[in-house]
Each structure stands twice: as structure tokens, then as C-alpha cells.
Amino acid sequence: MKALLAEPHQKFETVRLETHKAHGEFANYRTDDELSESSQISQLLEELETSGTMIICPVVIKIHLFLLMLPEAFSNTSKSTCLRQPKVSHHFHSTEEDIIIGAFVSITVRESILQSFRVRPDLHTKAWLMPKNYQHVLAYTFVVNEIRKSNLLPNTTLGSRIFDNAFDPQFTYWNTLNLLFREQLNPANYYCDQKQNLMATVGELSSQNSIQMANMLSIFKIPQVSYGSFGLTLNDKTQYPYFFSMVPNEVHQYVGIVHLLKYFGWNWIGLITSDDEDGKTFLQNLMPRLFQRDICIALKEQIPILKSYIKIKSALEILAKIAFNILSNKSNTILVYGDRQSMEGLRIILQNYEIFQGLPIERVWIITSQWDVTSVFSVNKLTSKSLNGSLSFALHTNTVSGFEDFIETINPYQSEIYFIQLFWFQVFLCSLPLYNIYYPNARNCTREETIRNLPGMVFEMRMSGQSYGIYNAVYAVAHALHAMYSSRTWKKAIMEGGLLSVQPWQMHLFLRNVRFNNSAGEKICFDANGHLAAGYDITNLVIFPNQTFQKVRVGKVDLQAPAGQEFTINGSAIVWNQKFQQSVPKATCVPNCHSGYSRVVQERKPVCCYDCAQCPQGSISNQTDAEKCEKCPEDQYPNKKQDECIPKGISYLSFEDPMGAGLASVAILVFVIAVAVMGIFVTHWNTPIVKANNCSITCILLSSLMLGLLSSFLFIGQPGTVTCLLRQTLFGIIFSLSVSCVLAKTITVVLAFMATKPSSRMRKWVGKRMALSVIMFCSLIQTVNCVTWLATSPPFVEFDTRSQVMAIILQCNEGSAAMFYMVLGYMGLLAIISFAVAFLARKLPDSFNEAKLITFSMLVFCSVWVSFVPTYLSTKGKYMVAVEIFSILASSTGLLACIFFPKCYIILVRPELNTREQLVRQKGQKSITLNS
């Protein structure tokens, strides 16, 4: 670890010395009219007047800062007065101005030296100018000139004041007081200069400076419009009622960060924040949102704020430790929150490892709007390999007509532009003898230098988001003044007392409700919290090897957009870091759960480190890392991968189905055979074998078998209301009729045998009347059962969505299962009775073994329907219907084959047996056998 720290120490020191050397000449530059600290105090004491006009402000002073300004002066006089101060570094116009809009920028970075508030801060500490931030000065100058040329504030001279706060709250205190007291060193509650009317201020860039300004400006109720992007500290309208921001609400950025991470599936990220109040506020507000969306923090570091190069040296060990943690962490995505000043330590880490050690830290850097990573000192280089492909939440900007033309026309001899000579001196490395500014061994500046030719890392021609905020901020104040001056009440007050009678706090209501379209055609207004009612742009930073870069807008986040459009991004337009070879980087603790799987949290591990489990049957997951599987709707089913629900098909036994077509063919075949048997019997009506089998019962039995075969067609095809009502009832009645006929034939055989005994009383029961009575009685009972069924709980058509996974079964619901099984049970009861009677009479003498044939036919019939019940209950859909059709065909074929085929064989093949003599002989033989 010591070896790791030693080399960065030396190289950080090298960077410090080179930077010091490059900027040391202009950093110590002083103007001729500036005095030393001791001479300032002497002059102030000499100018102390014995009397003055005191105007007591109608507020209670909340801080004692003002009382610490000149304790010597207060101790040597009993009467408070207004004191003149020497000129400080700011820009103003010499013409008489009606109203003033002050502007605060941070364009230089100075070494922090502990200042005493008894004297003004030393402006001659070593300073380094940020060239890109100088665009803020140019934007302010441009918009003030544009308003002066317009008719927005007619008959009004707009004045401007610009102060450089140098990212330092100490300078902010002094500059704010200087603006408030109109170039006077006044104690609190003294208002000495009535000629200048400060109406509003624009600034600042950093949050700490803005807070310091707001604390003082709110005392005097002067509106402050900030253009910097920082946290939620200034959202409290009770404490800061006069604070407005040309930056969208920070909540939009929080929402955008979460949406961006979820869009790319990044749930295992690094988090680097500034070690200040803004960083803490960011963590407090963002972390709950990340946890709610199951996004885990793999790395969390706080970068120490380096306010001077002396502190950098003492912080090297901290920076080296942070660098080691970043390199050791496996996450490809790192979120960074902080501004340029607070993230200087991270910039040094990236520069040290990439430029000096050749080890670029290649990650997907997600950078919040507070930090423009392309804004560096001119002697520094962009870490092109490390930061290439970064994603940034940038303040929205647009093309402002005339701004780039204005920049091209400026030159270092335009003394009315604030710090123009210092800017020119630094970016072009030339001397300006007219202003006593010299660069060692350099040529003199000419008017031929062109800002457009400067590298993008030094200066960008296109208006930045912060400059666009300044532009809109000044226009917002101007439109508020215009609205106030245009109202009838204020017109009268201005005519009576002039513009100086208008106080800044009176403009607050107009500024809060201001609405206008700027020159870029965009609507500018404030929300309820005083923030710009807009969103953030998501930009992709593409850095080329020659240190040029391009910022490509790839998305936007705006919570005020229509539903579904709050977050938009074009992932295909993003150029990723070269490490990822143009594929979307992964930032997960474990490999993603693919579609068809869901996450299962592991014990004692972060929620982002999970297992994957396949979805249960009937459910799907159609996204990566699904929290749980979702069941498909009842009319849909999962595909094989279980990542999509497919509509179920309608399933029923149709004639087009091979199984339905086969059963229908068998039914037709058996029906044709039954018709042929009927034809044979009709044709041989007068033969002994037909007469001996009771022609009437035979015809009824054959007819019922043919109807039973035809009833099977009610089970094939799409079920309907009529078919559902008829299929089971007709089947029950017809088959009961068939079994009743068999039972009647069996009883007839028994009675015929009993009637042959001498003096038997059974003779009167033998005949057609007895057989028909049995048939009608047995069939009537089944008919009553079926009518009762239809009257109480008739069958109906239903869609069964649960029995089969891939199909919806269109079937007939039997309505009452009890009635259905009662019909089957009654038919089974008749079959059992017929079988029992036939079995007992199987050895009785009869022609052509009639009793034996009936016994065997009933055995087949009962076997079929006994096996039908369990098979029917264990199948679903069309297979259940097919089982019933098969049972109908099998039982009908069994009856037809067992009872009628032997007789047809004799009629057609053995006609010699179909004679009366043969019939009598067989009876006689059976009688002898029975008697013996």
C-alpha cells in the first residue's frame, strides 16, 4: 500500500508545480488603483464623517456578520455613518442606471487562506481562471445588451454588476455586501446611496455560495435567481422565500437516475459523492429510491473537498485509498454526485491513473448535472479513456440566436466586458502590455485570435446549460419588471415617485408568476417551489483521442411531461466506453435471471445477489430479473420458454379431428351393418329362425341399436344448446330401450320353457303382450328420469379453461351429475338383470342357443359400461366424449354381433338349418337331454 501511495504523491506534486508555474504570472497581477490592506483601513478612517442619514430597515438582523466589518470605525465614533470603500473586482457601467441586476459568477479558483471578516478578502491570492466558466460572464453581458436594445423595458436604463465569488463563501459574503451597500462599507441598517436601485441578483453557481447569498439577500427581500444545480437545501420557501432557480427540481434528477439504472438493468453500482452537506442530502434522498427499486450499492465513497493544493498533499492517502477501492470493485457503473470543486479529488485520481500510470479507470460514469467533466484548467487534459462514453444529467440548453456571433466579435480591448483581458491572456497565452499583463517569453495579443478555434475542453461556443440559465434568469427578471411596470397600480406609483420608489420585494409576486417564451421558442416559468418548470437532458460524452469531444443528447427526464413520457432514452444512440466494445455493459451482482425465471433472494446477502428459479406451470415472466412470475389469463397459456402467454385454442371433438372422423366412420359402418341385418331379417321374415326369435322384439331391438349408433353423432362436432340437451337423454332412453328388448327376449325364453310343462299357468303370459309390456315399462322409467333431469337441471354449454393448459374445452356441462349417473345406473341395472336372467336360463332348451347368446351379449355390454365409468372420470375434453362414443359403439356392436350374427350366419350360410323340422328336432333333443 505504501508503494502504491508513494508514486501518486510524487506525480500529484508534479501536477501542482506545473500548474503553479503556468499560472503564477497572472495570478499575482494587480491593478494600479488597488491599495494594500493597511492603507485601505487608514483611508476609511480618514473618510469617516461625523454625521449621516440613517434609515432603519424594517427587519430584524439575524446575523452579526455586518457588525464584524469595521470594529475600529464603530469604536471611534458615536454616530454611525456611511463609509466609502476602495474599489473591488467587479464590473459596472459608468452611465446612470435606473435599475440594477447583479450577477455572481465563479470563474476563478483561488488558494484558500483563512480570512478575517474585519477586512475585505485579499483578492491577490494565487488564482486560476476556469475558461469554460467564463461563458457565464459572456452570456450575462449578451443578455443585458439584448434587453437594452429591446422594448421590454422602455424608458428604463438597465444596469449590471458582475462579481467573481471564486467558489469561495468568503468572497461571496464580501461581494454580496458590496452589492447591497452600493459601493459603501455600511454597517447593517444603513442605506446611503439612493441613486442605484438593485432589483434582483442572478447567481450563484455553487450551493454554498448560493446559500450565503440567500441568507443575506432574504434580509433585504431582494429576489435571487440561481443558475447553479444543487440539492434540495434551498427548497424551503419559508426560510428562503425570495429564492428562485433556473434549474429543474432536484427530484427530477433522482427519478431520472432510478429510471436510467432500471432501463439498462444496472442494480449493482458504485456511488461517489462529495463530502459536504450537498452530498449528504443527495444520499438521504436517493438511497430510499434505490432500495425501493432493488438497486444495491457495491461501492460508496465520499471525495474530500480540496480547497487548496496544500490540502491535496495531506489528502493523498485518502485519494489513493478511494482509487484502490474503485479499481478493486467489479461494478461497471459508477454514479457521481458533486460539482467541479468537490470532485477535484476524483479528477486527480482519474488523471493520475490514466495519464501517468497508463491505467485508465474505464467504467460507465453516470454524472449528475452539478459537474461538467469537460470543464478543466487549460493545462490539464481530459481523461479521454476513462470518461469516454459517460452519461450525464445535464441542464437543458438550446440555441440562442446571435450568441455565437456575439462571442466571435469580442476582443481583449473591450474593457467593458468583465475579466476579458485575463481570459484572453490565459486561453491564448499572450501578453497585453496595454493592461500591464505579461506572459513570460510570449508574443503580444492581437485582434486576430478567434475563440471559435479554441479546443472544446478550453471553451465551447455552444451555450452551456448554466449559461442558458443565466440568459433565462435575466429575462425572467426583465419580464417581471415589465409586468409590474405595466400594471395600473404601479404605473401610478412610478409616475409619482419614479423608478427609485419601487422596492425589490414588490417585484416578488410578478417574478413568481412570470411566464414567457424566450428567443429559442421555449416556455419559461417557475413551479410551486420556485424551480424552473422543466427537466434534465441525458447526454452521452464521446471523447476522441485528440482531446476533442462531443456531447450527444440521448434522452430526457421531465416529470411534468405527459404520462408515459416522463423518461425517454435512445439506448441505440449511446456510444459506450471502448472497454465494452459497443455492447450494453452489465452491472449486476449475479447473472440476470432470463425470461421464464424469477428471482429468489439468498439469505444474508443483498437483495441484488439472488438465485433464479423457473416459473411454475401456468405462469410466465417476460422480463429480465422478474420479482415473481405472473399467471397467464384463463384464456391463455405459457409457451415452452415460459416468457409469453399464447391464446388457447377451442377444443372439442370435431368431424375434422382424426379421432372424431374415425369414430364417425365406425358408427356409420356399424349402422350399415345393423341396417343389413334388419334387411336380412325382413327378407327372411317367414323363415322358422326369424319367427322363433319374436319378430316384433327383434325389430324394436334392431331399431334401437341403429338409433343408438346415430345418437353418437350428437357427441361429435361443436356443442350447442340443443345437442347438449339431447345427447345424454336420447342416449339413456335409446339404450334403455335396447336393454329392455334384450330383457324381454330373455324373459320370453324363460316363460316359454316354463309353459311347456303340463298344466302350467305360465301359458297365458307367453306372447307379444308380455314382451311389449316389459319393454314399455322399463323404457318409461328411464324416460321419466330424463324428463326430470331436463326439468330440474338441464345440461348446458360451458367453456372449461382449467382442465387443459393449452386449450379451452368447449363441452356440455351435464347440469346435474346425480341425474346423469342415475340414468347410467338405471341402464346398468337393466343390463345386470338381463345378464342374470340370461345366465340362469343359459341351459334351458331353446332354439339356436338364444339364452346363451343373450348371456354373452350382456356380458360384453356390462363389461363395456363398467370400464366406461373410471375411464370417463379420468379424461377431460374431447377424450372424455370419445370414451363415451366408443362405449356406445362397442356395446351396440356387442349386442348386434352376439345376438344377430349367428342367426344371419344360419340364414345366409347354413340355410339347411333354417327349417321347421330342424327347429323341432333341436327342441326335442334338448327336452330329452333335460329329462335325462
Side-chain angles (χ1 to χ4, degrees):
M1 187 66 181
K2 292 182 179 179
L4 178 66
L5 296 177
E7 188 175 359
H9 274 254
Q10 298 173 0
K11 293 181 178 178
F12 287 149
E13 184 66 18
T14 302
V15 176
R16 182 186 74 83
L17 293 176
E18 290 179 354
T19 308
H20 231 165
K21 181 179 179 181
H23 295 279
E25 297 296 329
F26 79 87
N28 294 317
Y29 161 72
R30 301 188 183 198
T31 57
D32 295 335
D33 59 347
E34 291 178 332
L35 305 175
S36 65
E37 182 176 303
S38 57
S39 62
Q40 294 171 22
I41 298 177
S42 300
Q43 180 181 348
L44 293 175
L45 293 175
E46 290 175 2
E47 292 180 359
L48 186 64
E49 298 178 0
T50 57
S51 63
T53 304
M54 182 176 71
I55 301 176
I56 301 177
C57 296
V59 294
V60 178
I61 302 302
K62 296 183 288 185
I63 56 178
H64 65 280
L65 172 63
F66 306 131
L67 302 180
L68 298 177
M69 292 171 51
L70 287 174
E72 297 88 351
F74 285 110
S75 61
N76 292 326
T77 180
S78 59
K79 295 184 179 181
S80 301
T81 59
C82 295
L83 307 176
R84 174 67 60 182
Q85 148 193 331
K87 191 190 320 180
V88 295
S89 178
H90 72 281
H91 162 67
F92 64 94
H93 291 273
S94 59
T95 57
E96 186 174 348
E97 300 143 337
D98 296 322
I99 59 174
I100 295 174
I101 300 177
F104 293 85
V105 296
S106 287
I107 59 174
T108 62
V109 178
R110 301 171 185 266
E111 282 190 348
S112 293
I113 299 176
L114 185 60
Q115 302 282 358
S116 170
F117 286 107
R118 297 177 182 274
V119 295
R120 71 186 181 93
D122 185 4
L123 298 177
H124 308 298
T125 57
K126 292 181 174 61
W128 295 265
L129 186 137
M130 297 289 296
K132 294 189 71 172
N133 283 16
Y134 189 72
Q135 193 191 82
H136 304 165
V137 174
L138 299 179
Y140 177 76
T141 305
F142 170 75
V143 67
V144 170
N145 292 338
E146 192 173 74
I147 293 174
R148 286 173 181 163
K149 296 176 184 178
S150 68
N151 294 323
L152 187 59
L153 297 174
N155 303 321
T156 302
T157 303
L158 177 63
S160 63
R161 297 288 186 273
I162 304 180
F163 295 89
D164 174 30
N165 288 338
F167 298 98
D168 195 330
Q170 299 179 55
F171 282 88
T172 304
Y173 276 125
W174 186 264
N175 289 335
T176 305
L177 293 174
N178 188 46
L179 179 63
L180 285 171
F181 297 137
R182 283 75 165 175
E183 310 301 324
Q184 305 290 331
L185 274 179
N186 316 341
N189 294 345
Y190 283 78
Y191 194 93
C192 302
D193 191 346
Q194 295 291 329
K195 295 181 180 180
Q196 296 178 357
N197 193 11
L198 176 64
M199 295 303 296
T201 61
V202 175
E204 223 268 356
L205 179 61
S206 67
S207 61
Q208 290 301 318
N209 288 359
S210 292
I211 292 173
Q212 309 304 348
M213 290 173 56
N215 286 331
M216 289 182 284
L217 294 174
S218 61
I219 297 174
F220 298 94
K221 300 182 179 180
I222 297 176
Q224 174 189 357
V225 186
S226 174
Y227 62 91
S229 178
F230 33 84
L232 305 174
T233 310
L234 292 167
N235 273 3
D236 187 358
K237 304 309 292 182
T238 303
Q239 186 176 0
Y240 304 105
Y242 299 97
F243 179 83
F244 298 87
S245 177
M246 275 297 159
V247 174
N249 196 315
E250 185 80 0
V251 174
H252 293 230
Q253 191 166 220
Y254 298 145
V255 174
I257 290 171
V258 175
H259 274 292
L260 181 66
L261 295 175
K262 295 300 291 185
Y263 178 84
F264 290 109
W266 297 331
N267 62 2
W268 190 245
I269 66 169
L271 182 58
I272 298 177
T273 63
S274 56
D275 190 10
D276 56 10
E277 289 299 323
D278 287 343
K280 295 177 182 178
T281 303
F282 176 78
L283 289 175
Q284 291 174 357
N285 288 275
L286 181 66
M287 294 297 284
R289 297 175 183 269
L290 296 179
F291 291 149
Q292 287 176 2
R293 301 300 298 274
D294 292 340
I295 299 173
C296 304
I297 306 301
L299 168 73
K300 184 165 67 173
E301 298 290 345
Q302 290 183 306
I303 298 292
I305 298 178
L306 310 177
K307 294 185 178 179
S308 69
Y309 281 95
I310 298 173
K311 288 192 175 182
I312 289 178
K313 188 174 182 178
S314 64
L316 284 178
E317 291 187 2
I318 299 177
L319 295 182
K321 182 179 179 181
I322 293 175
F324 177 79
N325 292 338
I326 294 175
L327 290 170
S328 302
N329 191 265
K330 300 300 182 181
S331 177
N332 288 324
T333 302
I334 299 179
L335 174 64
V336 180
Y337 180 89
D339 56 20
R340 190 219 62 81
Q341 185 180 13
S342 61
M343 286 294 115
E344 182 65 16
L346 179 59
R347 189 195 66 79
I348 292 174
I349 291 174
L350 296 177
Q351 183 174 349
N352 174 57
Y353 276 89
E354 178 173 333
I355 297 177
F356 296 110
Q357 299 190 36
L359 297 174
I361 306 178
E362 297 170 316
R363 301 287 191 275
V364 177
W365 297 93
I366 301 176
I367 302 166
T368 57
S369 60
Q370 285 75 7
W371 184 24
D372 180 4
V373 296
T374 63
S375 179
V376 297
F377 296 118
S378 56
V379 296
N380 297 133
K381 291 184 178 181
L382 284 175
T383 49
S384 57
K385 292 185 179 180
S386 297
L387 294 176
N388 183 38
S390 300
L391 298 175
S392 298
F393 286 85
L395 300 179
H396 176 68
T397 186
N398 208 334
T399 302
V400 175
S401 177
F403 180 67
E404 294 187 14
D405 296 334
F406 166 75
I407 292 178
E408 288 185 331
T409 60
I410 65 174
N411 62 75
Y413 302 102
Q414 293 173 295
S415 58
E416 70 275 8
I417 301 180
Y418 183 61
F419 262 143
I420 182 63
Q421 294 83 19
L422 189 58
F423 168 75
W424 213 267
F425 158 78
Q426 180 168 345
V427 297
F428 293 109
L429 301 179
C430 59
S431 301
L432 291 166
L434 181 63
Y435 297 98
N436 196 26
I437 301 177
Y438 296 94
Y439 193 91
N441 303 320
R443 61 177 178 82
N444 293 337
C445 299
T446 67
R447 297 177 185 269
E448 296 179 359
E449 295 89 3
T450 305
I451 294 180
R452 183 177 289 276
N453 294 333
L454 290 173
M457 60 175 291
V458 177
F459 190 88
E460 292 184 76
M461 293 292 292
R462 187 172 185 266
M463 184 175 281
S464 67
Q466 294 167 345
S467 298
Y468 192 61
I470 293 175
Y471 179 82
N472 290 325
V474 177
Y475 258 112
V477 174
H479 277 277
L481 289 170
H482 176 80
M484 184 171 66
Y485 295 161
S486 300
S487 64
R488 295 181 179 179
T489 303
W490 292 106
K491 277 184 179 179
K492 182 178 179 181
I494 293 172
M495 291 179 63
E496 293 177 355
L499 288 175
L500 291 176
S501 64
V502 179
Q503 299 300 315
W505 63 269
Q506 295 169 323
M507 189 185 65
H508 176 260
L509 179 63
F510 296 92
L511 184 59
R512 184 178 62 186
N513 297 310
V514 69
R515 288 178 181 269
F516 66 95
N517 290 333
N518 62 12
S519 62
E522 294 187 334
K523 181 180 179 181
I524 305 299
C525 61
F526 296 107
D527 61 18
N529 291 322
H531 290 275
L532 181 67
Y536 290 89
D537 290 340
I538 302 175
T539 60
N540 180 215
L541 178 62
V542 183
I543 308 177
F544 304 100
N546 62 355
Q547 291 289 296
T548 61
F549 61 86
Q550 185 177 7
K551 296 178 180 178
V552 181
R553 177 179 169 180
V554 295
K556 185 176 182 180
V557 54
D558 186 1
L559 300 187
Q560 297 179 346
Q565 302 179 19
E566 298 89 348
F567 174 83
T568 57
I569 191 167
N570 182 9
S572 61
I574 297 176
V575 176
W576 301 107
N577 190 284
Q578 59 277 355
K579 172 185 177 181
F580 308 109
Q581 300 178 352
Q582 275 311 106
S583 60
V584 179
K586 301 294 184 181
T588 58
C589 177
V590 294
N592 299 108
C593 291
H594 300 295
S595 300
Y597 292 81
S598 63
R599 299 184 303 177
V600 179
V601 178
Q602 300 182 17
E603 293 185 6
R604 299 180 181 180
K605 288 188 178 181
V607 68
C608 301
C609 303
Y610 46 77
D611 290 327
C612 299
Q614 190 170 11
C615 292
Q617 185 178 4
S619 59
I620 66 162
S621 65
N622 54 6
Q623 60 184 2
T624 304
D625 289 337
E627 294 183 5
K628 61 179 181 178
C629 298
E630 302 291 340
K631 280 192 169 294
C632 287
E634 290 188 349
D635 59 343
Q636 298 179 6
Y637 70 98
N639 59 357
K640 290 183 179 180
K641 295 182 179 180
Q642 291 187 274
D643 60 355
E644 183 182 4
C645 289
I646 302 175
K648 292 182 178 181
I650 304 298
S651 175
Y652 58 88
L653 187 63
S654 64
F655 289 101
E656 292 79 12
D657 188 282
M659 184 166 52
L663 292 173
S665 300
V666 173
I668 293 173
L669 177 61
V670 178
F671 177 80
V672 170
I673 293 174
V675 171
V677 171
M678 174 72 81
I680 293 172
F681 271 67
V682 172
T683 305
H684 300 81
W685 186 263
N686 293 320
T687 61
I689 196 170
V690 175
K691 291 182 178 181
N693 278 274
N694 196 329
C695 297
S696 300
I697 299 177
T698 300
C699 291
I700 295 174
L701 178 57
L702 285 172
S703 299
S704 64
L705 289 177
M706 287 188 287
L707 290 175
L709 292 170
L710 294 177
S711 70
S712 62
F713 287 94
L714 293 174
F715 293 86
I716 305 175
Q718 182 175 345
T721 303
V722 176
T723 56
C724 286
L725 290 174
L726 295 180
R727 59 165 58 170
Q728 298 293 359
T729 53
L730 286 180
F731 155 72
I733 294 173
I734 291 171
F735 267 73
S736 296
L737 178 61
S738 300
V739 178
S740 298
C741 291
V742 175
L743 178 60
K745 286 177 69 68
T746 308
I747 293 175
T748 301
V749 172
V750 175
L751 292 177
F753 174 76
M754 295 176 66
T756 58
K757 294 181 179 182
S759 66
S760 175
R761 297 182 179 180
M762 293 296 175
R763 291 179 179 272
K764 61 180 179 180
W765 296 102
V766 177
K768 295 181 180 180
R769 183 179 299 177
M770 177 62 184
L772 293 175
S773 300
V774 171
I775 294 172
M776 293 180 61
F777 178 75
C778 294
S779 300
L780 181 62
I781 295 176
Q782 187 70 299
T783 303
V784 171
N785 289 336
C786 292
V787 171
T788 305
W789 183 6
L790 294 177
T792 56
S793 182
F796 58 89
V797 181
E798 73 168 357
F799 291 91
D800 182 3
T801 60
R802 298 181 179 180
S803 296
Q804 292 187 3
V805 176
M806 302 174 59
I808 299 175
I809 300 174
L810 181 59
Q811 63 183 9
C812 291
N813 187 305
E814 308 305 344
S816 174
M819 293 301 300
F820 172 66
Y821 289 111
M822 181 182 292
V823 169
L824 289 180
Y826 178 76
M827 188 176 65
L829 177 63
L830 289 180
I832 292 172
I833 294 173
S834 299
F835 173 74
V837 174
F839 181 78
L840 293 175
R842 71 186 185 282
K843 294 184 178 181
L844 294 178
D846 186 26
S847 301
F848 309 106
N849 299 315
E850 185 74 10
K852 290 182 180 180
L853 295 178
I854 292 174
T855 301
F856 190 71
S857 66
M858 284 295 98
L859 179 61
V860 173
F861 187 91
C862 291
S863 299
V864 169
W865 288 104
V866 167
S867 61
F868 160 79
V869 174
T871 308
Y872 183 84
L873 294 177
S874 61
T875 54
K876 295 292 183 181
K878 63 181 181 180
Y879 299 103
M880 183 171 63
V881 177
V883 167
E884 188 166 359
I885 296 174
F886 176 80
S887 299
I888 293 173
L889 297 179
S891 58
S892 299
T893 304
L895 292 177
L896 188 64
C898 294
I899 296 177
F900 295 101
F901 281 5
K903 297 179 177 61
C904 292
Y905 173 78
I906 293 174
I907 293 173
L908 298 177
V909 179
R910 301 291 300 275
E912 68 276 6
L913 299 178
N914 188 12
T915 60
R916 183 177 179 82
E917 292 76 13
Q918 184 67 25
L919 179 63
V920 173
R921 187 179 64 82
Q922 289 179 355
K923 285 184 179 182
Q925 291 176 352
K926 290 180 181 180
S927 298
I928 295 171
T929 302
L930 185 62
N931 293 330
S932 62

